[in-house]
Amino acid sequence: MEYLYMVQQALVWIVTIFWLYQLIVSVCSLVKLKDKPIIEKKENRFMAIIPAHNEESVIKNLVESLIKQNYPKNLYDIYVIADNCTDKTAQIAEKAGAIVYERFDEKNRTKGHALNWFLEQKIKENAPYDAFLVFDADNIVEENFIKNMNKKLCQGEEVVQGYRDIKNPTDSWISAGYAIFYWTMNRFYHLARYNLGLSPLINGTGFMVKFDVIKTTGWDTTTLTEDIEFSLKRIIAGKRLGWSTDAIVYDEQPVGFKQSWSQRSRWTVGHIQCIQHYTKDLAQSVKTHKTLMNFDGLLYILGSIPMFVLTLILLGINFIMYLGNGITTLELIENCLRYLIPTFLLPIGTAIIIMLLDKKPIKPMIKGLICYPLFLGSWLAINFKCLFKRQTKWEKIEHIRDIKINEVNEVAEKI
């Protein structure tokens, strides 16, 4: 019992220090820093890339929102990768004004494979672009997105994540859960780290990459979370990623639990793959570069599944000690509440603070806030399931919300 007590205390300190560090970093999102100086004043040339698989219901709206960008039309091109499509995605995208590349490869169907296939061609062509932007087909883009990303490029940033907002936050408690999660990540993870000089992460869609960055390697990713993998490889190389609060992209999220379970399972498996492939390299990068940025990158990967497992072990030890009369019933309840309250209840308060800071109406999101612990709890269940059973097959998430860029502000007013 004495040995268990020592292990328990050690784990308590590890978990406490980890979350205290996250809290301190998050608070730095409240500090408004002076904007970076312009290194080179230039209107850069961009290619907007949209990998799309059977997205005929939403692809037109994204292409139209990109065509309406407040940026010189001769300085960006819109490319749609019609990836193994069996519907009218290619025809609709081309008619809307995009340049369409059709790809057919049943064995390699992920977004990462589609991006690599396309970018390899552009690298061989020595295409005259300074940077590229990546979107999902269900996105809608604010009119100043490219203009704001160009500013970041002129400030010397090479890889920048834009602000990922949600098209349909009030459709269901599931889509509300996604919205709250992304709003939290946008401010307390990405913005906080950018303010501190640490590194945000690429977050799936709405990001920019300087073309020169990938000319020697292509889009070389192999996991199910190609965005996180690309980010970690940059951090390992000692390269900091950037963040733009003003480059806004709207994303459609699943409304049903089954689709959400499948999507988040894929994300969790992708994280596990990144843990397996990059933890050692991240640890080595801390030793090599000796920067807090690299240490923070290592903590990110250790703070996902490994911290979840440590917490489960800690809770298990508490129950074993209770059964062995090592702690009282009251002590067991106190120890469990010490982790259950921060996990399920504090995120609601955090979300309300963020919504107030970012001026997002709370009243229409009350149902989502109440159900947010259920959303987080289901994610913990997904993590637990994926420890033992991992589905690595890519599954398409259906996108059906036909919202145009001129309608998105009306939707925002309702939330």
Side-chain angles (χ1 to χ4, degrees):
M1 195 61 64
E2 183 179 349
Y3 172 76
L4 277 178
Y5 177 78
M6 292 173 62
V7 174
Q8 180 211 41
Q9 290 303 302
L11 291 179
V12 166
W13 276 105
I14 290 171
V15 173
T16 301
I17 292 171
F18 174 82
W19 287 113
L20 183 61
Y21 169 82
Q22 299 300 330
L23 176 62
I24 293 170
V25 171
S26 297
V27 169
C28 294
S29 68
L30 305 177
V31 180
K32 188 169 184 178
L33 301 180
K34 186 177 179 181
D35 205 11
K36 286 186 172 184
I38 300 294
I39 296 175
E40 179 186 20
K41 191 172 183 180
K42 176 185 177 183
E43 289 183 326
N44 291 281
R45 186 172 175 81
F46 293 89
M47 50 179 163
I49 308 171
I50 311 166
H53 172 67
N54 288 347
E55 300 284 8
E56 62 181 7
S57 61
V58 292
I59 191 68
K60 180 181 177 181
N61 293 338
L62 173 56
V63 174
E64 287 181 346
S65 72
L66 286 168
I67 288 174
K68 294 175 182 177
Q69 287 291 293
N70 182 21
Y71 198 75
K73 306 302 181 216
N74 62 322
L75 291 180
Y76 69 97
D77 294 309
I78 305 166
Y79 293 95
V80 170
I81 308 170
D83 191 24
N84 293 287
C85 289
T86 56
D87 66 354
K88 297 180 180 179
T89 295
Q91 298 94 309
I92 292 173
E94 188 171 22
K95 187 176 180 180
I99 303 167
V100 177
Y101 280 52
E102 293 193 74
R103 174 180 179 266
F104 297 96
D105 185 343
E106 289 294 329
K107 292 183 179 180
N108 301 303
R109 295 166 58 90
T110 66
K111 178 179 175 181
H113 285 299
L115 282 173
N116 191 50
W117 173 83
F118 174 81
L119 288 170
E120 279 185 344
Q121 296 178 65
K122 291 302 169 186
I123 292 168
K124 288 178 182 178
E125 294 171 11
N126 195 26
Y129 297 103
D130 298 295
F132 62 90
L133 310 160
V134 178
F135 302 99
D136 287 340
D138 59 292
N139 294 161
I140 304 174
V141 184
E142 286 278 14
E143 64 179 7
N144 288 322
F145 187 94
I146 297 180
K147 180 181 178 180
N148 288 323
M149 282 299 190
N150 181 68
K151 179 182 176 181
K152 288 294 179 181
L153 200 59
C154 291
Q155 289 173 334
E157 303 280 11
E158 292 186 334
V159 181
V160 181
Q161 174 63 51
Y163 186 98
R164 187 174 178 180
D165 211 334
I166 309 300
K167 275 201 279 186
N168 58 328
T170 59
D171 279 3
S172 72
W173 68 273
I174 290 290
S175 63
Y178 278 103
I180 294 168
F181 174 76
Y182 279 118
W183 293 338
T184 302
M185 287 289 290
N186 285 340
R187 176 170 281 275
F188 280 177
Y189 191 91
H190 300 299
L191 177 59
R193 278 159 176 77
Y194 188 69
N195 283 349
L196 272 177
L198 304 178
S199 182
L201 300 170
I202 292 302
N203 195 20
T205 187
F207 60 89
M208 177 197 73
V209 179
K210 189 175 182 179
F211 196 21
D212 288 345
V213 166
I214 54 93
K215 281 186 177 179
T216 56
T217 61
W219 189 264
D220 185 22
T221 59
T222 58
T223 68
L224 289 177
T225 48
E226 74 287 330
D227 52 343
I228 299 300
E229 181 181 0
F230 181 78
S231 301
L232 295 178
K233 291 173 79 169
R234 292 285 294 174
I235 293 170
I236 289 167
K239 305 290 186 179
R240 176 179 169 275
L241 287 80
W243 168 255
S244 176
T245 302
D246 300 323
I248 302 172
V249 57
Y250 295 90
D251 197 21
E252 179 185 338
Q253 294 301 334
V255 297
F257 186 77
K258 184 177 179 181
Q259 272 197 329
S260 174
W261 180 278
S262 176
Q263 183 187 63
R264 288 183 287 159
S265 293
R266 175 165 52 84
W267 290 350
T268 296
V269 172
H271 271 77
I272 293 173
Q273 291 172 336
C274 286
I275 291 168
Q276 293 170 335
H277 289 114
Y278 296 106
T279 300
K280 182 178 178 181
D281 291 339
L282 283 164
Q284 183 61 46
S285 75
V286 174
K287 182 179 178 181
T288 301
H289 300 290
K290 297 180 175 61
T291 69
L292 183 58
M293 183 200 76
N294 289 92
F295 179 70
D296 185 71
L298 176 62
L299 282 186
Y300 169 79
I301 207 70
L302 294 178
S304 54
I305 299 300
M307 191 57 61
F308 171 69
V309 172
L310 280 184
T311 304
L312 289 180
I313 293 172
L314 181 55
L315 290 172
I317 288 174
N318 277 287
F319 278 98
I320 293 171
M321 291 177 68
Y322 172 72
L323 294 173
N325 297 318
I327 57 175
T328 65
T329 302
L330 181 60
E331 288 174 326
L332 175 64
I333 294 172
E334 288 178 348
N335 289 343
C336 290
L337 290 177
R338 192 177 297 163
Y339 303 104
L340 294 177
I341 290 175
T343 300
F344 295 105
L345 296 183
L346 287 186
I348 296 177
T350 301
I352 292 173
I353 291 171
I354 289 170
M355 292 170 71
L356 290 172
L357 289 171
D358 294 345
K359 296 180 174 57
K360 296 183 183 297
I362 294 174
K363 187 176 178 180
M365 292 292 292
I366 288 177
K367 181 180 178 181
L369 287 166
I370 293 171
C371 293
Y372 194 45
L374 182 59
F375 181 82
L376 295 175
S378 66
W379 212 326
L380 293 178
I382 289 169
N383 289 346
F384 187 80
K385 183 264 295 185
C386 290
L387 289 174
F388 306 99
K389 185 178 180 181
R390 299 169 194 170
Q391 181 178 341
T392 58
K393 183 180 178 182
W394 177 83
E395 291 185 6
K396 176 179 168 53
I397 301 297
E398 296 295 334
H399 298 121
I400 57 173
R401 293 292 266 119
D402 184 21
I403 300 176
K404 296 177 174 60
I405 189 59
N406 62 334
E407 299 170 334
V408 75
N409 289 330
E410 296 176 14
V411 174
E413 288 176 3
K414 294 178 183 179
I415 66 164

